[in-house]
Amino acid sequence: LARISARTHEFAHAVMHTSGQAFMMAFQAGGPHAQDRGLEAVAYAYAEQTRTPSGRAGWSKPQGKRDPLELSKEFTPVGRGVALVIGCNTFPTWNGYPGLFASLATGNPVLVKPHPRAVLPLALTVRIAREVLAETGFDPNLVALAVERPGEGVAKTLAVRPEVRIIDYTGSTAFGDWLEANARQAQVYTEKAGVNTVVVDSTDDYKGMLGNLAFSLSLYSGQMCTTPQNLLIPRDGITTDQGPKSYDEVTADLAAAVGGLLGDDARANGLLGALVNPDVKARLEAAADLGEVALASREVVNPDFPDAVVRTPVIVKLDGAKPEAQDAYFSECFGPVSFAVAVDSTAEALELLRRTVREKGAMTVGAYTTSEEVERAVEEVCLEESAQLSLNLTGGVYVNQTAAFSDFHGSGGNPAANAALCDGAFVSNRFRVVEVRRQA
């Protein structure tokens, strides 16, 4: 991790050119924030392995007049076997490092399979790991790289090999579900997809709410697993510090906030980055046909990278009661697409939130309310459905950001992910404690 940190600028450029992130985001998320996540995994691994005393321990059982029974016991943490890290295109280091370092720190060799579109950041990581291993007297093949061309399906082949006992995966729900169903010989940790939702009930900082949501929808062109997709807004409107606001006013004002944030192309390029693949572009273009467009997407030219595909977000208005609208907002639309969903009441919004998290999963949930009763109700839903909740964010912290050593990324308790980055459960099943008993 120290060697990687010393080359942070190189990693930042590698992440930028493979993921489409703007440079400052690639520098932060691909550099120190990813390294934080790796170090956090090491810390959790150390804590879990030292929960049972290491070395030898004496054991004695009194037997009355006879000599006591005495044993010497030794406890050793032992890794499960080969770990496979299946990298993602959008955040190759941030999502890759927790599993990589958790497996290494618990005694498992690691095979790194990068996404075909984002090989370089993880290839650099593997090179550094092999150099450190060799210098410290270990076999450098404890960490190795497995690359593939698009469509070759190497991950599917490797995942069911009997030697592979741990799998870390970030990506689509379809392949994550396949791994969980078919890689039965391995402990599988997946971060898949969810439908992130924001409940808008009321606010005492209307301008702050709009600005916060606008930034959250725009950051990295909405290509974060934590980006809000569904904004549930009562069709009769909400109360604010600027007076009552109708559903149409809230939607129009949010569109104006996004438009103002991204009106300058230089600032837009710094926030948006580029679309990571053609599928995102296709979803963005198709979204306009799903309902009434409150904010149209526009093309942004990046003078430094004229071939980059840069687009601003689209916001589509949907009537939550219509079946055709439900088909749209009840499935993930990864990319710079969000739906302003009109609902009959906040109570209906909460029921829709519960159903969404339970059936589709969510990496993040947001809510805006000035009501203690509504706040408690939102909390109750998130506690029961295991969803990470952010309340009334109006400043410089956003629902799609999490910090190592401070926030849990995902919960492992809903369909969006079966693990959290990072907690004890993320590392404790990567090893077993083997006991040796000797007659004292």
Side-chain angles (χ1 to χ4, degrees):
L1 280 165
R3 296 276 183 97
I4 290 168
S5 179
R7 294 168 65 172
T8 290
H9 284 82
E10 182 181 3
F11 274 87
H13 282 282
V15 170
M16 177 179 73
H17 285 293
T18 52
S19 70
Q21 294 175 27
F23 178 75
M24 281 308 299
M25 185 174 192
F27 177 84
Q28 293 177 13
H33 293 175
Q35 296 154 24
D36 275 351
R37 283 299 189 197
L39 184 59
E40 181 184 39
V42 173
Y44 270 101
Y46 178 81
E48 291 299 323
Q49 288 175 103
T50 55
R51 186 182 300 278
T52 302
S54 59
R56 293 191 178 184
W59 179 87
S60 178
K61 179 183 179 181
Q63 294 198 99
K65 295 180 180 180
R66 291 181 293 170
D67 291 338
L69 296 174
E70 293 188 348
L71 294 175
S72 173
K73 301 183 179 184
E74 190 171 5
F75 304 95
T76 304
V78 178
R80 292 177 68 102
V82 175
L84 173 65
V85 173
I86 303 174
C88 68
N89 194 172
T90 49
F91 290 89
T93 55
W94 198 96
N95 280 106
Y97 283 6
L100 169 64
F101 285 99
S103 288
L104 281 177
T106 50
N108 303 282
V110 181
L111 183 59
V112 179
K113 205 294 295 181
H115 190 282
R117 293 176 178 269
V119 174
L120 183 56
L122 290 180
L124 290 171
T125 302
V126 169
R127 173 183 285 179
I128 292 170
R130 291 172 63 85
E131 290 171 354
V132 172
L133 287 166
E135 290 173 20
T136 49
F138 291 94
D139 186 341
N141 291 322
L142 286 171
V143 179
L145 188 72
V147 295
E148 65 172 336
R149 293 181 179 86
E152 284 187 345
V154 168
K156 189 171 276 192
T157 302
L158 293 173
V160 295
R161 291 276 301 224
E163 305 94 332
V164 172
R165 304 303 300 277
I166 301 167
I167 297 173
D168 287 279
Y169 167 76
T170 299
S172 71
T173 297
F175 190 54
D177 289 345
W178 186 92
L179 288 170
E180 292 171 1
N182 292 278
R184 306 305 293 271
Q185 86 291 349
Q187 178 68 35
V188 180
Y189 300 91
T190 60
E191 182 198 308
K192 299 176 287 189
V195 178
N196 301 320
T197 301
V198 177
V199 175
V200 182
D201 169 73
S202 54
T203 180
D204 57 7
D205 185 359
Y206 187 60
K207 182 179 179 181
M209 180 188 78
L210 294 175
N212 192 279
L213 285 173
F215 190 94
S216 297
L217 298 179
S218 303
L219 189 61
Y220 187 29
S221 299
Q223 297 170 118
M224 303 174 71
C225 63
T226 49
T227 301
Q229 175 180 302
N230 294 344
L231 311 174
L232 308 183
I233 307 167
R235 64 179 78 252
D236 291 335
I238 66 172
T239 59
T240 80
D241 57 318
Q242 297 183 19
K245 297 289 182 179
S246 67
Y247 163 81
D248 288 333
E249 287 177 313
V250 173
T251 307
D253 290 344
L254 178 58
V258 175
L261 178 68
L262 304 176
D264 177 74
D265 281 3
R267 182 164 59 178
N269 278 310
L271 284 174
L272 295 170
L275 300 188
V276 73
N277 61 49
D279 291 340
V280 175
K281 182 171 179 284
R283 282 193 293 271
L284 172 63
E285 292 172 346
D289 297 328
L290 297 175
E292 180 185 345
V293 175
L295 176 67
S297 176
R298 70 178 182 90
E299 182 176 354
V300 179
V301 176
N302 189 320
D304 296 322
F305 305 102
D307 293 332
V309 180
V310 183
R311 300 289 188 275
T312 62
V314 62
I315 300 176
V316 180
K317 296 167 69 173
L318 297 175
D319 186 336
K322 293 184 177 179
E324 61 271 21
Q326 294 177 15
D327 292 340
Y329 67 73
F330 206 60
S331 59
E332 188 197 29
C333 190
F334 183 76
V337 178
S338 60
F339 301 115
V341 182
V343 294
D344 289 338
S345 64
T346 297
E348 182 182 310
L350 293 178
E351 284 308 307
L352 181 55
L353 169 65
R354 182 188 299 277
R355 180 186 167 205
T356 302
V357 177
R358 180 175 294 175
E359 297 182 21
K360 300 296 182 178
M363 294 299 293
T364 57
V365 172
Y368 291 90
T369 182
T370 57
S371 163
E372 291 185 3
E373 181 182 356
V374 172
E375 184 173 316
R376 286 194 300 270
V378 176
E379 282 189 66
E380 194 66 28
V381 171
C382 291
L383 289 170
E384 291 178 0
E385 304 303 331
S386 295
Q388 312 293 20
L389 171 64
S390 297
L391 286 165
N392 298 316
L393 297 183
T394 56
V397 177
Y398 305 95
V399 67
N400 40 356
Q401 297 174 322
T402 57
F405 298 102
S406 179
D407 295 313
F408 290 115
H409 177 72
S411 71
N414 69 65
N418 73 0
L421 303 182
C422 183
D423 62 4
F426 186 70
V427 299
S428 60
N429 216 13
R430 296 172 190 262
F431 70 94
R432 285 290 179 264
V433 177
V434 176
E435 177 184 358
V436 176
R437 302 192 298 183
R438 293 179 174 86
Q439 187 75 37

